[in-house]
Amino acid sequence: VGSKDLDDINGGELEGNDTIEYTITISNTGTADQNNNPGNEFEDYIPENTTYVADSAYSEYGTINYNSSENKITWSGNIPAETSRILTFQVQIDDGLQNGEIISNQGTIYWDSKAIEIETPRKAQDLGISTIYQELMLTPDLTIAENIFLDR
């Protein structure tokens, strides 16, 4: 199971030059360990309209890196049964970003470094995968932060 949260490090409303810290939690809700197999267990491309903050990627366990040639965060490591791994990284919002512009971000969790084809929601649940939906209908008169938290 994975989740992603964000925090505006600068406080207040999100605006150009603010720093967003993403916190990703990857949990193994099963009874068997998820070993550190070849390949990455997590990948996350840096969102458009932002820039990665140098040396901000952190994880207490495993190996987390910023791949500048692909502009993405990668993490590789094990997840023991019934535990979680927490990853963090920061991005800076581009200067001059206008209200109503979108910052969209999603990561990919790999199971044993393989993408798994999931045909039904039930199969996803059986694998411990859930979906967190993001509002797609934005309101141009609201700030970036208000749009992110719209409908909560």
Side-chain angles (χ1 to χ4, degrees):
V1 177
S3 68
K4 180 186 283 187
D5 295 306
L6 67 87
D7 183 34
D8 180 2
I9 299 298
N10 305 90
E13 296 181 0
L14 282 171
E15 56 188 19
N17 288 323
D18 275 4
T19 300
I20 297 172
E21 181 170 76
Y22 288 106
T23 301
I24 299 96
T25 304
I26 305 171
S27 301
N28 178 355
T29 59
T31 57
D33 293 346
Q34 166 63 40
N35 295 320
N36 183 10
N37 296 305
N40 298 316
E41 276 70 47
F42 178 76
E43 295 183 355
D44 193 349
Y45 286 92
I46 301 302
E48 290 185 35
N49 302 314
T50 69
T51 303
Y52 171 72
V53 174
D55 300 321
S56 67
Y58 174 78
S59 177
E60 185 174 354
Y61 301 99
T63 303
I64 190 168
N65 291 301
Y66 170 65
N67 180 329
S68 61
S69 64
E70 296 185 42
N71 199 32
K72 71 178 177 180
I73 299 293
T74 60
W75 179 79
S76 184
N78 71 327
I79 309 173
E82 300 178 354
T83 64
S84 298
R85 296 297 190 229
I86 298 174
L87 324 172
T88 61
F89 69 93
Q90 297 176 356
V91 298
Q92 184 174 29
I93 298 173
D94 293 347
D95 187 32
L97 189 67
Q98 301 296 312
N99 283 343
E101 290 193 49
I102 297 172
I103 297 175
S104 177
N105 183 247
Q106 66 183 25
T108 302
I109 299 172
Y110 292 92
W111 183 263
D112 289 342
S113 73
K114 296 177 268 184
I116 297 175
E117 190 166 323
I118 301 172
E119 296 85 16
T120 66
R122 182 52 161 166
K123 183 173 180 183
Q125 289 174 342
D126 291 344
L127 293 170
I129 299 170
S130 62
T131 303
I132 300 172
Y133 293 94
Q134 182 175 349
E135 178 60 50
L136 299 177
M137 298 300 295
L138 300 179
T139 306
D141 295 333
L142 297 180
T143 66
I144 296 168
E146 289 169 333
N147 270 294
I148 288 173
F149 294 105
L150 186 67
D151 208 20
R152 280 197 173 187

